[in-house]
Every structure is written in C-alpha cells, then in structure tokens.
C-alpha cells in the first residue's frame, strides 16, 4: 500500500484508464468464463480415469488436442486479420457452451476424447482475442495494460479449484464433476452474452484483397520464414521447445500422483491449485520488471535452473503440506521464464515478421507439449509414476544449458 493519497489516486486513475470499453468487456467475460472452466480443468484428469481412461490415453488426448490447437491458431490468425475480430469471438463464445454441457452427460472416455477434440476448436478465436486486446491498449502502455488485464481476468479463478474440490468431496466424483460442468455452462453463457452485447470491432480497415489460402504464392509467404528468420530466434526456439515439452510431460499428472501416491483429497488439491493461481497473479507483473532490470537471458536461466529440481521434490512429498510447499515453489521459480521469453522474442523479431513468428512459436509450443504429454503418459503408466517428473528435471537442465551457452541478447532491440 502507498503512503500518500496522491499516489493512490494516480494509480487508481491509471488502472481505471485501462479498464473501459473492450478491455473491460474482455476482462469481465474472461473472468466469468474462466471461473467455471477452471473448476473442470483442475479435476479433469481424475474424472477421465474414473470413466475408464488411463494415463496413456490421457496423454494421447492431450497430444491430439494440442495438434488441433496448432491448426486452429493458424487459421484463427488469418480470420482475425482478414474478416474481423468480433464475429469470430462472439461465435466461439457461444460455441464453447457445448463442451461443458456434453461433458456432464459423458461416462465413456472415448466420447470424452471426441468432445475434447471438438472443444479445442474454440481456440480459433484466441488470435482475435489477443488482437482486440492489443488494438484496445495505447501503445505506450501496452505491456502494463496486457499484464494488468491478465491479472484482473484470472484473480477470480483462484477460488474455483477449492469450489470444485468441495463439490467432489461432498457429492462424489461423478455428481460433483457434473455439477461443475453445469456451473461452467452457466458462466460460459453469461460470458458469451457479454461479448455479444458489448464487444466492439477494432479492425476498421480490412485488406483490399481477401486472403486466398488456395494460392501457392500466399502459402509461400506464410511459411517462407527460414530465409529471413533471425539467428537469435532460431536459438530461442530450442529452450522454448524444451520447456514446453517438460511442462507437457508432467502437467496432467500432478493430480494423479497427488491422489494415488501422496494421498491428497480433492479439497486439499483444490487449495493447492488455488494458492498457486493466487501466487502466480501476485508475481506476474514483478516478473516482467525483473527481466527488464536484470536481463532477460539471466532471468530465464535462473528460472529454469531453480524450477528444474522442484518436480523431484514433489515426488518425495508424502503429506499435504509438503506437496503444497513444493507446488508453491514451482510457481515462485517458474513464473519468470515466460515473461522474459516473450520480451526477448519481441526484442529479436523484426516488426514485419511478428505476426508469423508469434504463430510459429505458438505451434512449436503446442507440438512440444503434445509430445511431452504423450511421453509423460506412457512413462507414468508403463514405467513408474515418478519418471515423468525426473524427465522434467532433465529437460529443464538441457534448456538452461542452451540459454546459458548459446542464447545471446541483442545489442539493438527491434522497435
């Protein structure tokens, strides 16, 4: 808290300056939709096993949806730039109601996989959402505005896992998950209604000629990056892919290990995830400040190196408090990598390539996470539940090696 009224008023007016119009609509709609969605996503792995799946098929499902996400991000970027942002956002907002509604009545893991594949089509609107946010923030305040939007949008999510844990603890896994799904339907519908009524289009000047993906020349323009790709970006891709692979290898299996080995209850897991989300929100903006002050490469290396052993510590946990401590340590050490990476990527990327480079890194992340999920599922089920967590540590150390020995920050940043 600040000591003087004048500084408080200045901060208040700065925050209120960000959150009006489209930013206010997106912040509130994301918070409402995410609140219901977080309840489902937190407990989806154990429900998937409850209806007949196993860790390997869970990893396979995650991998398939990641690959589909690549295609959707690719298409969504061009829809946003050539046909406008608002229409696709509104359409997908209402389409997203279908998945949680059908989840509530699904008790076969195969149908659940099919629904998850259909649900990931909703990422088609992600590029449009990101574009409309960027369009709506003044350029001189863009970094602060986007970070503030992320924090405001995700703060309500911090209590969602505890509510989900309470539902499952009191109603049982089947009925508790169904109730969570119906609540997600209500919040998703409310969110969709908000964007339909209040969101405004920001793409006023459309391209003169519409994009024709069937033309080979256009395809060459989309994928012809190799000859003009800066060397720094090629180097940056390696640790980025390794970190995405490492997180994919363990992401879905924390809760399975916590349930099966540590013996944590649904309410206790809800508390852990809620505190992780809260801590991530607290540290997100300071993380960006640290990378600007002390150097992006240095912060990336420190973050990856300190995060690497945390998963091994997680496998050694044998109580709720031990697991909670390690889970929070994962956030404290790992939260700084992505903001530093995003800033360094912007520093290296020429303005004319930023759209395609952003899509390229998104696809690399999704494919790396897909292979990590599949590998982690196989190791968890067929080798030993601890092996995906050891793989995380080894992969993170490899990523740190590349950051320290090969990666260089540019002497001149791209405008």
């Amino acid at each position: 808290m600040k000591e003087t009224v004048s500084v408080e008023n200045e901060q208040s007016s700065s925050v209120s300056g960000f959150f009006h119009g489209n930013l206010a609509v997106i912040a509130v709609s994301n918070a409402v939709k995410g609140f219901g969605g977080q309840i489902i996503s937190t407990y989806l792995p154990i429900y998937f096993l409850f209806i007949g799946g196993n860790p390997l098929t869970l990893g396979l499902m995650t991998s398939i949806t990641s690959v589909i996400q690549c295609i959707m991000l690719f298409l969504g970027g061009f829809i946003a730039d050539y046909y406008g942002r608002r229409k696709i956002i509104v359409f997908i907002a209402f389409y997203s109601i279908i998945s949680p509604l059908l989840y509530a009545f699904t008790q076969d893991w195969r149908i659940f996989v099919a629904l998850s594949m259909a649900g990931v089509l909703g990422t088609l609107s992600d590029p449009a959402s990101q574009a409309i946010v960027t369009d709506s923030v003044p350029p001189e305040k863009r970094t602060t505005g986007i970070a503030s939007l992320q924090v405001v949008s995700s703060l309500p999510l911090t209590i969602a896992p505890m509510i989900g844990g309470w539902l499952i603890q009191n109603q049982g896994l089947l009925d508790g998950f169904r109730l969570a799904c119906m609540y997600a339907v209500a919040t998703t519908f409310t969110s969709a209604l908000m964007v339909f009524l209040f969101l405004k289009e920001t793409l006023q000047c459309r391209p003169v000629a519409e994009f024709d993906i069937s033309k080979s020349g256009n395809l060459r323009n989309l994928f012809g990056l190799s000859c003009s790709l800066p060397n720094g970006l090629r180097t940056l891709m390696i640790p980025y892919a390794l970190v995405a692979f490492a997180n994919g290898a363990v992401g879905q299996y924390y809760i399975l290990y916590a349930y099966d080995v540590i013996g944590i209850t649904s309410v206790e897991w809800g508390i852990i995830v809620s505190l992780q989300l809260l801590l991530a929100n607290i540290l997100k903006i300071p993380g960006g400040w640290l990378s600007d002050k002390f150097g992006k490469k240095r912060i990336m290396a420190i973050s990856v190196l300190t995060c690497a052993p945390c998963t091994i510590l997680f496998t050694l946990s044998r109580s709720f408090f031990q697991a909670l401590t390690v889970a929070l340590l994962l956030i404290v050490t790992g939260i700084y990598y992505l903001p530093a990476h995003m800033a360094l990527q912007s520093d290296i990327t020429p303005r004319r390539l930023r759209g395609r480079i952003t899509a390229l890194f998104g696809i690399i992340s999704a494919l790396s996470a897909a292979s990590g999920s599949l590998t982690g599922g196989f190791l968890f089920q067929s080798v030993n539940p601890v092996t995906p967590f050891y793989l995380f540590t080894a992969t993170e150390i490899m990523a740190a090696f590349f950051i320290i020995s090969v990666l260089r920050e540019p002497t001149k940043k791209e405008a």
Side-chain angles (χ1 to χ4, degrees), residues 99-167:
S99 291
L101 179 63
L102 295 180
Y103 279 161
F105 302 100
T106 300
Q107 296 188 44
D108 186 293
W109 70 269
R110 300 170 189 84
I111 299 176
F112 198 93
V113 170
L115 292 177
S116 297
M117 292 168 61
V120 81
L121 299 180
T123 57
L124 188 68
S125 67
D126 285 0
S129 296
Q130 294 175 23
I132 212 168
V133 167
T134 304
D135 294 343
S136 302
V137 180
E140 67 276 7
K141 300 179 179 179
R142 190 160 286 157
T143 303
T144 305
I146 292 173
S148 301
L149 175 69
Q150 291 174 345
V151 170
V152 170
S153 297
S154 54
L155 270 177
L157 275 61
T158 57
I159 63 171
M162 290 189 290
I163 293 176
W166 180 85
L167 286 173

Side-chain angles (χ1 to χ4, degrees), residues 297 301-302 305 397-408:
K297 172 184 173 178
I302 292 173
L305 278 175
I397 292 173
M398 290 174 59
F401 170 79
F402 276 101
I403 293 171
I404 295 170
S405 62
V406 181
L407 189 63
R408 297 289 182 268

Side-chain angles (χ1 to χ4, degrees), residues 1 6 22 28 41 49 56 71 120 127 140 152 162 184 190 235 251 289 358 373 376 387 394:
M1 297 298 291
S6 61
N22 282 339
V28 176
S41 62
L49 267 62
L56 182 57
I71 301 171
V120 81
E140 67 276 7
V152 170
M162 290 189 290
T190 303
T235 305
W289 175 83
T358 299
S373 297
T387 48

Side-chain angles (χ1 to χ4, degrees), residues 29-202:
S29 63
N30 284 353
V32 172
K33 178 183 177 180
F35 186 75
Q38 185 66 50
I39 300 177
I40 296 178
S41 62
T42 301
Y43 298 97
L44 187 149
I46 59 169
Y47 183 76
F48 184 78
L49 267 62
F50 180 79
I51 59 176
N54 58 51
L56 182 57
T57 52
L58 176 64
L60 181 62
M61 179 182 72
T62 306
S63 297
I64 293 172
T65 55
S66 295
V67 173
I68 296 174
Q69 183 181 1
C70 291
I71 301 171
M72 293 302 103
L73 291 173
F74 177 79
L75 295 177
F78 293 100
I79 291 174
D81 284 344
Y82 282 84
Y83 299 100
R85 288 82 151 98
R86 183 183 180 277
K87 289 181 181 179
I88 189 64
I89 292 173
V90 171
F91 173 77
I92 293 299
F94 283 101
Y95 171 82
S96 299
I97 300 171
I98 298 174
S99 291
L101 179 63
L102 295 180
Y103 279 161
F105 302 100
T106 300
Q107 296 188 44
D108 186 293
W109 70 269
R110 300 170 189 84
I111 299 176
F112 198 93
V113 170
L115 292 177
S116 297
M117 292 168 61
V120 81
L121 299 180
T123 57
L124 188 68
S125 67
D126 285 0
S129 296
Q130 294 175 23
I132 212 168
V133 167
T134 304
D135 294 343
S136 302
V137 180
E140 67 276 7
K141 300 179 179 179
R142 190 160 286 157
T143 303
T144 305
I146 292 173
S148 301
L149 175 69
Q150 291 174 345
V151 170
V152 170
S153 297
S154 54
L155 270 177
L157 275 61
T158 57
I159 63 171
M162 290 189 290
I163 293 176
W166 180 85
L167 286 173
I168 291 173
Q169 188 100 339
N170 288 274
Q171 303 295 326
L173 181 56
L174 179 60
D175 291 338
F177 190 83
R178 282 179 171 177
L179 287 172
C181 288
M182 297 313 296
Y183 185 81
V185 169
T187 57
T188 305
F189 175 77
T190 303
S191 173
L193 203 58
M194 288 179 184
V195 296
F196 174 71
L197 293 175
F198 302 111
L199 194 66
K200 305 297 182 184
E201 179 61 70
T202 60

Side-chain angles (χ1 to χ4, degrees), residues 214-231:
S214 65
K215 295 180 180 179
S216 60
N218 285 336
L219 287 175
R220 283 195 298 270
N221 288 334
L222 292 180
F223 294 103
L225 290 170
S226 58
C227 60
S228 56
L229 197 65
N231 289 330

